[in-house]
Amino acid sequence: MKALACTLVAILAMVWSPAAAVALDITFDEVVSVGNPLVTTLDVHGYRFTGSFRTIDAPGGTLPSNGSAVYLHQEASGPGITVTRAEGGPFILYAFDAVGQVNLAGRRVGGDLLSATYGVSSLPGFAHFSVPPAWSNLQAATFTGLLPGEFGLDDVGVGEGATSVAEPATLALAAITVLGGCVVALTRQRRGAFRHR
């Protein structure tokens, strides 16, 4: 019986594997914005954006349109836009859209620092940038415009990282395995009871 229990535990350990959390694309489209107001703190989908920036709902002039209802815009004199989880937990940064040249600085849990620079494509307007997998377990990430310092930010791809939740098919396989093991154990136990009589 102990051998069967050990076998079942081993099978469960093999099928129970960490699954990556679903990435969240923060578009800012649900943010209430009228007249491109200046904002210092913005909470969206459990993430907090801080700095001194505008929520752009009326692009025009030097403010390009990317077809989005709202995006963030950092003016040349701004300190950058920092993103954190609202409750303070670690997160992963997957991607973002930007117009202008952007420096990205990250601080990981434990104090490690990351840095990268992204420039716009040859097309005017917003460009999409993927962020390497090393940008995980982050406490904060800060987007700062480079010369002349002004930039736009939209479609920030974030996630909470790996979780220890098995997929439904894996759970079903594990349940069938455990059930089968119980049936085999009960059958053996009954056969043993009849032999002793």
Side-chain angles (χ1 to χ4, degrees):
M1 190 69 169
K2 287 183 181 177
L4 178 62
C6 290
T7 303
L8 292 176
V9 169
I11 290 170
L12 281 172
M14 286 188 298
V15 298
W16 194 283
S17 59
V22 176
L24 171 66
D25 183 24
I26 300 175
T27 64
F28 307 107
D29 289 347
E30 68 280 1
V31 172
V32 176
S33 177
V34 179
N36 304 338
L38 188 63
V39 178
T40 56
T41 302
L42 179 66
D43 286 353
V44 184
H45 296 295
Y47 288 82
R48 179 165 292 149
F49 293 80
T50 57
S52 180
F53 52 89
R54 294 187 181 276
T55 55
I56 304 302
D57 58 271
T62 60
L63 301 173
S65 174
N66 66 344
S68 180
V70 175
Y71 68 85
L72 305 185
H73 180 262
Q74 173 73 66
E75 295 176 344
S77 60
I81 300 173
T82 299
V83 59
T84 58
R85 290 261 305 278
E87 89 292 345
F91 66 98
I92 296 172
L93 180 63
Y94 295 101
F96 64 94
D97 289 1
V99 61
Q101 194 173 18
V102 178
N103 183 64
L104 180 58
R107 186 178 69 250
R108 300 178 76 191
V109 173
D112 292 343
L113 301 177
L114 300 169
S115 181
T117 300
Y118 296 87
V120 297
S121 67
S122 58
L123 298 173
F126 280 78
H128 179 76
F129 300 103
S130 294
V131 178
W135 289 75
S136 61
N137 206 24
L138 296 172
Q139 286 182 324
T142 301
F143 301 86
T144 307
L146 300 176
L147 298 174
E150 194 168 330
F151 74 98
L153 180 66
D154 202 1
D155 296 322
V156 179
V158 291
E160 295 180 20
T163 60
S164 294
V165 177
E167 297 177 9
T170 303
L171 289 175
L173 178 62
I176 290 169
T177 302
V178 169
L179 184 60
C182 290
V183 168
V184 168
L186 285 173
T187 304
R188 286 182 181 172
Q189 189 177 17
R190 284 185 182 161
R191 285 183 187 164
F194 286 123
R195 286 180 188 163
H196 292 297
R197 290 184 182 178

